[in-house]
Amino acid sequence: MSEEITFYKCATVPLEMHRARIVQKLELKPVEERVRAITEAGNNTFLLQNKDIFLDMLTDSGTNAMSDRQLGATMVADDSYAGSTTHERLETTLRDIFGKEYFLPAHQGRACEHLLAKVFVKEGDIVPMNYHFTTTKAHITLQGGEVTELYYPDALDVESANPFKGNMPPEALREAIATYGVDGIPFVRMEAGTNLIGGQPFSLENLKEIYAICREHHLPLVLDASLLADNLYFIKVREDAYKDATIREITREIADNTDIIYFSARKLGHARGGGMCLNDRDTYLKLRELIPVYEGFLTYGGMSIREIEAIAIGLEETMDLHMINQGPLFTEYMVDELVKRGIPVVTPAGGLGCHLDAMQFVSHVPQHEYPAGALAAAMYLAGGIRGMERGTLSEQREADGTERLADLELLRLALPRRVFTLSQVQYAIDRICWLYENRELIGGLTFVEEPSKLRFFLGKLAPVSDWQDKLVAKFRTDFGDSL
Ligand code: F0G
């Protein structure tokens, strides 16, 4: 049965198919306090305190709004160390949705990546993927492997009309197999809603082509389904062949074209946790052995039972087009409004949130002074809005200590699903516009404390000049006493 998608196409603004009945008070601190907060945080938005933030657009991870049904379900969770019926409920839901025989729980997405890397990756291995994610790459390299990214050239074009920038070129995969050999490739990874290039989807047609090549060479295809909900929406509305298919049908077809599915339930399922679904019994047994060592007993895998209950309901709700459309529609609204005002932003609009192109926004800031990180600090100063740097700061240095300059310098302003109102999004647009008008005032950052692994989480930085004082002075001139 096809799902009707015309009603919200008629609307000129995104229309929420839910109502908010529990709310949380927010505070917008004066700009002087924001200066104190960002300085104390070492200009790293990860280190800001929640109480100092007005709009938290850092991530959509574990911050999506839960439904009344999800919250209700947490109260009836069957809390036991072993043999919980709640776990069984999640297992049944996943089997029903993905059609895979086995499910293994893990405390979050990166825990799945850790276990998959441990089971599959050995020294010198190469893992082809449509694009890397930070934690994925970290776990593969920790095992002595390497990532090779296979994408079409316009995947990294900030402005593009390609509706499926997350596609992997089949000929590039064939070439990689010829170069590294089947023995040097433990698995091929496709990431739904490709995070680091702006939440960009792959098409189902592409996934099928990639899977056919994997089959031919007996290589497992691993799907990172953390951002699957957005990808499902984009297949439905952008891929002609699937415009009449239901979300459930599209999901099953995706699952049928992968061997292992893993996910962060902090994104998929609007709760917190993760897990892996697969059919191959040998692989299942190898992975299963590691769960009690690293995660917890098999019927909770490091997750709270309440969250497991919420994931089961959240996954069911994900099969509803009118639930999963809210994120992409809000993102599209924000992106379109920024494009109209000439602000450089990743197009087409993806899932997850809006991605400002710092390379153009602050083109005068060199990459080794972290333009996207600098823009993140400036965005917080301008509006109490917390975004996330997705650029050189999020990369790891080369073995010899030189900077690995990122392909893209993005400031991600995530739109956790069903959390913000449209007026809050409009406020963010206003502050971005002000910042753009004053972009010449924004300067770079330099490390003061630099961790050797995943440095963007805990590293501390300082402005390279007094540019923040000048930006705040301009803010006071333009906004007077207002916040
Ligand atoms: N894969 C993708 C595509 C992700 O976006 C994330 C997390 C993970 C794996 C790891 O999952 O956080 O549950 O361990 N992304 C978060 C973000 C951190 O903010 O984009 P996790």
Side-chain angles (χ1 to χ4, degrees), residues 345-364:
V345 61
V346 172
T347 60
L352 210 164
C354 168
H355 295 73
L356 301 179
D357 177 17
M359 213 95 92
Q360 286 186 67
F361 202 115
V362 282
S363 54
H364 54 283

Side-chain angles (χ1 to χ4, degrees), residues 101-300:
E101 180 62 22
Y102 304 113
F103 166 62
L104 289 166
H107 77 273
Q108 60 185 86
R110 71 199 70 185
C112 304
E113 292 168 339
H114 170 220
L115 303 184
L116 287 167
K118 264 196 135 43
V119 164
F120 281 99
V121 180
K122 57 180 189 328
E123 191 76 32
D125 276 352
I126 303 285
V127 185
M129 52 186 70
N130 54 348
Y131 207 73
H132 79 279
F133 184 69
T134 51
T135 54
T136 328
K137 187 168 166 179
H139 283 296
I140 289 169
T141 49
L142 278 171
Q143 286 301 117
E146 259 181 67
V147 160
T148 181
E149 292 167 318
L150 311 177
Y151 47 79
Y152 286 97
D154 64 351
L156 303 187
D157 286 351
V158 172
E159 284 144 41
S160 156
N162 182 352
F164 293 110
K165 283 176 165 180
N167 282 356
M168 179 185 282
E171 58 285 4
L173 179 58
R174 285 193 187 281
E175 256 173 56
I177 295 170
T179 309
Y180 306 113
V182 169
D183 292 340
I185 298 179
F187 60 83
V188 175
R189 173 177 174 273
M190 287 292 280
E191 183 181 314
T194 323
N195 191 328
L196 295 190
I197 60 167
Q200 300 291 323
F202 57 66
S203 70
L204 192 31
E205 186 192 1
N206 180 250
L207 180 71
K208 285 172 153 179
E209 276 183 274
I210 297 302
Y211 189 55
I213 298 172
C214 290
R215 291 284 80 206
E216 197 183 311
H217 296 276
H218 305 285
L219 285 173
L221 178 58
V222 174
L223 172 72
D224 180 342
S226 307
L227 289 165
L228 181 66
D230 298 335
N231 209 126
L232 287 168
Y233 169 83
F234 289 124
I235 288 174
K236 170 83 179 170
V237 301
R238 292 183 185 171
E239 197 167 352
D240 247 13
Y242 296 95
K243 68 178 192 306
D244 294 325
T246 63
I247 294 300
R248 201 175 277 277
E249 286 162 353
I250 297 171
T251 307
R252 181 54 78 89
E253 202 156 333
I254 288 176
D256 288 348
N257 283 280
T258 56
D259 295 298
I260 300 177
I261 299 172
Y262 78 89
F263 59 92
S264 166
R266 301 177 64 82
K267 295 177 189 272
L268 186 68
H270 289 205
R272 288 146 208 100
M276 296 168 278
C277 301
L278 68 165
N279 277 333
D280 183 67
R281 188 162 173 81
D282 286 348
T283 311
Y284 163 73
L285 292 176
K286 281 186 205 152
L287 287 165
R288 191 178 74 169
E289 222 173 70
L290 300 179
I291 302 283
V293 181
Y294 293 103
E295 299 301 305
F297 193 67
L298 278 182
T299 52
Y300 72 92

Side-chain angles (χ1 to χ4, degrees), residues 288-457:
R288 191 178 74 169
E289 222 173 70
L290 300 179
I291 302 283
V293 181
Y294 293 103
E295 299 301 305
F297 193 67
L298 278 182
T299 52
Y300 72 92
M303 287 183 272
S304 127
I305 290 287
R306 287 177 196 269
E307 296 287 349
I308 297 179
E309 197 72 57
I311 298 168
I313 303 282
L315 286 167
E316 270 300 330
E317 291 179 348
T318 300
M319 296 296 102
D320 176 359
L321 178 65
H322 297 151
M323 184 276 209
I324 60 172
N325 66 8
Q326 195 268 344
L329 286 176
F330 262 52
T331 302
E332 187 180 72
Y333 175 84
M334 189 166 175
V335 166
D336 286 354
E337 292 298 310
L338 290 171
V339 168
K340 271 188 227 162
R341 293 162 172 80
I343 313 269
V345 61
V346 172
T347 60
L352 210 164
C354 168
H355 295 73
L356 301 179
D357 177 17
M359 213 95 92
Q360 286 186 67
F361 202 115
V362 282
S363 54
H364 54 283
V365 177
Q367 265 193 290
H368 65 268
E369 288 182 9
Y370 313 119
L375 187 56
M379 188 76 243
Y380 174 72
L381 288 172
I385 298 166
R386 167 155 81 162
M388 187 192 289
E389 193 272 0
R390 298 275 74 162
T392 297
L393 242 172
S394 298
E395 290 286 342
Q396 236 155 267
R397 284 186 190 267
E398 306 287 1
D400 66 2
T402 53
E403 279 285 4
R404 180 193 291 248
L405 301 180
D407 298 325
L408 297 169
E409 294 287 345
L410 303 179
L411 171 60
R412 177 176 89 180
L413 297 170
L415 293 171
R417 296 156 192 90
R418 302 183 298 193
V419 168
F420 294 124
T421 62
L422 207 59
S423 44
Q424 288 170 331
V425 172
Q426 279 159 350
Y427 163 84
I429 292 166
D430 278 359
R431 292 296 158 111
I432 294 166
C433 288
W434 179 81
L435 213 47
Y436 193 61
E437 282 160 21
N438 293 287
R439 61 189 179 279
E440 289 303 327
L441 293 176
I442 301 171
L445 298 174
T446 181
F447 265 107
V448 181
E449 285 172 35
E450 184 177 349
S452 64
K453 299 248 170 344
L454 298 176
R455 61 183 181 173
F456 59 93
F457 280 131

